[in-house]
Amino acid sequence: MAEQEESAALIARAAATHRLTEAELVQLLGDAAATEQLAAAADRVRHDYVGDGVHLRGLIEFSNICRQNCMYCGLRRDNGKTERYRLDAATIVELARKAKGYGYHTVVLQSGEDAYFTVPRLCAIIRDIKKLDMAITLSLGERPREEYAAFRAAGADRYLLRIETTDRDLYEKYDPGMSWANRDRCLRDLRELGYEVGTGTLVGLPGQTLAMLARDILYYQALDADMLGIGPLIPNGDTPLGTAKPGDFALTRRMVSLLRLLLPEANIPATTAMETMVPRGRELILASGANVVMPNVTEGDYRRKYALYPGKICVADTPADCRHCMGGRIKAMGRYVAEDKGFRRHRLCQG
Ligand code: SAH
Ligand code: SF4
């Protein structure tokens, strides 16, 4: 069979059965000519399983202080150029209250691995935000199981922790001092504690192969991940990976589409990094399998200072601008802003 026909047959099978082998995933990830066909199939599966609603999650970047040293990230502890900040509890809760006012039903609290935010401090913030009747997603990095349990008991609903890559050696090369086994442990603990678990891949780490990306997808399927955030590496000049090649946008897009085909019920964001790379990148990804956007609700200069990578979009905008802009863009696509809290809907029959 010609490559084109072979890919078309694989896409049709994946859309119907939600299963592919590692070799089949490698073939589709590597087939640039299949990008549009994959996106169209993923868009249909997205429509059938999670509908036309787009969930907006308000992102609060509450501290850029980090004890880790990931080689790609601007918040790494050895980056002396980052102007560090930490929002206080009252400011974080106030940002959540304003997010509620803009019509968001979920806030994502994201930060570097900042030890100042102990269990009592974070639990107090979580409890205050829960009084606003909002869902809470945490994205604070690796913590012991007991801490995850305490946040969950205080009311946290979801947790985002990208595995970045399932290749142990590659992970430990670019996340020095961290262990892949511990990251995997965190995800399993979060799952057992009843969180909706979000994870994902950083596409374009030097040395990452298509087979590794294929294994990432199979890992997410085995974990039964609820959310999947995929983004291309955007080299940050203030980090050791500053001169690396940027992640491939089209490859990242094919990966998003394949994730929708293989994990049809998952919540999949169109990530900000996609739009940093390509104007209107989030619309393109929303039309390629994604159903979530995480507009920034952090205010003022903190947006600029939370610089994982350069060229971050909308740093001069206000949260109201972002809400208005995304709402309009979603409507223009013939989709709508979902009005519920956006928990995963389980549709597949078990067994
Ligand atoms: N400290 C937490 C959350 C903040 S970092 C954690 O590490 O989980 C959130 C995500 O930003 C990371 O998972 C990583 O995939 C992404 N990121 C960091 N630097 C990046 C870069 N240069 N380009 C693209 N994404 C990057
Ligand atoms: Fe810290 Fe997260 Fe950046 Fe790693 S990716 S340096 S843990 S903020």
Side-chain angles (χ1 to χ4, degrees), residues 30-76:
D31 186 356
T35 306
E36 298 304 330
Q37 216 182 335
L38 257 178
D43 199 43
R44 283 193 295 274
V45 170
R46 187 271 309 151
H47 171 83
D48 291 349
Y49 278 80
V50 294
D52 287 339
V54 175
H55 298 282
L56 299 183
R57 327 274 203 208
L59 176 66
I60 302 177
E61 300 161 330
F62 69 93
S63 165
N64 68 357
I65 296 169
C66 190
R67 69 190 174 103
Q68 301 293 5
N69 222 8
C70 307
M71 306 246 300
Y72 40 82
C73 176
L75 306 193
R76 66 197 304 269

Side-chain angles (χ1 to χ4, degrees), residues 28-264:
L28 290 175
L29 285 165
D31 186 356
T35 306
E36 298 304 330
Q37 216 182 335
L38 257 178
D43 199 43
R44 283 193 295 274
V45 170
R46 187 271 309 151
H47 171 83
D48 291 349
Y49 278 80
V50 294
D52 287 339
V54 175
H55 298 282
L56 299 183
R57 327 274 203 208
L59 176 66
I60 302 177
E61 300 161 330
F62 69 93
S63 165
N64 68 357
I65 296 169
C66 190
R67 69 190 174 103
Q68 301 293 5
N69 222 8
C70 307
M71 306 246 300
Y72 40 82
C73 176
L75 306 193
R76 66 197 304 269
R77 67 167 184 267
D78 285 354
N79 181 10
K81 291 201 181 147
T82 296
E83 298 166 57
R84 305 287 170 171
Y85 72 86
R86 174 185 283 145
L87 302 185
D88 60 31
T91 307
I92 298 169
V93 176
E94 179 58 14
L95 286 175
R97 198 187 57 76
K98 287 184 180 170
K100 172 99 183 168
Y102 300 127
Y104 294 109
H105 303 290
T106 301
V107 279
V108 182
L109 303 182
Q110 195 181 76
S111 68
E113 290 200 11
D114 182 354
Y116 170 85
F117 287 97
T118 56
V119 165
R121 285 186 172 125
L122 268 166
C123 287
I125 294 167
I126 292 166
R127 279 193 291 266
D128 279 351
I129 296 178
K130 286 308 282 186
K131 287 181 200 146
L132 303 169
D133 187 28
M134 298 182 93
I136 299 182
T137 305
L138 299 177
S139 180
L140 332 164
E142 298 181 15
R143 298 267 180 151
R145 182 184 173 105
E146 309 76 71
E147 298 199 12
Y148 289 147
F151 303 149
R152 178 91 185 109
D157 303 281
R158 312 185 178 117
Y159 206 101
L160 293 179
L161 184 77
R162 286 187 181 171
I163 195 81
E164 317 290 2
T165 171
T166 53
D167 189 87
R168 196 174 296 248
D169 292 340
L170 199 73
Y171 178 84
E172 291 179 1
K173 179 170 176 192
Y174 292 120
D175 289 17
M178 298 172 83
S179 100
W180 189 88
N182 193 52
R183 207 154 180 93
D184 177 60
R185 186 275 306 161
C186 289
L187 289 169
R188 290 174 200 285
D189 280 348
L190 291 163
R191 167 102 288 167
E192 283 170 22
L193 290 164
Y195 282 90
E196 284 204 341
V197 177
T199 184
T201 299
L202 185 53
V203 178
L205 287 167
Q208 193 177 42
T209 62
L210 296 182
M212 290 176 192
L213 296 177
R215 288 195 290 269
D216 290 357
I217 298 174
L218 295 173
Y219 172 88
Y220 303 145
Q221 229 182 4
L223 184 71
D224 190 26
D226 301 296
M227 304 175 280
L228 290 157
I230 309 293
L233 171 75
I234 302 178
N236 183 329
D238 299 331
T239 69
L241 285 187
T243 55
K245 215 165 108 234
D248 179 329
F249 182 89
L251 170 61
T252 311
R253 187 172 164 224
R254 287 195 293 284
M255 182 145 176
V256 167
S257 299
L258 283 166
L259 286 167
R260 173 59 68 204
L261 295 181
L262 265 65
L263 289 101

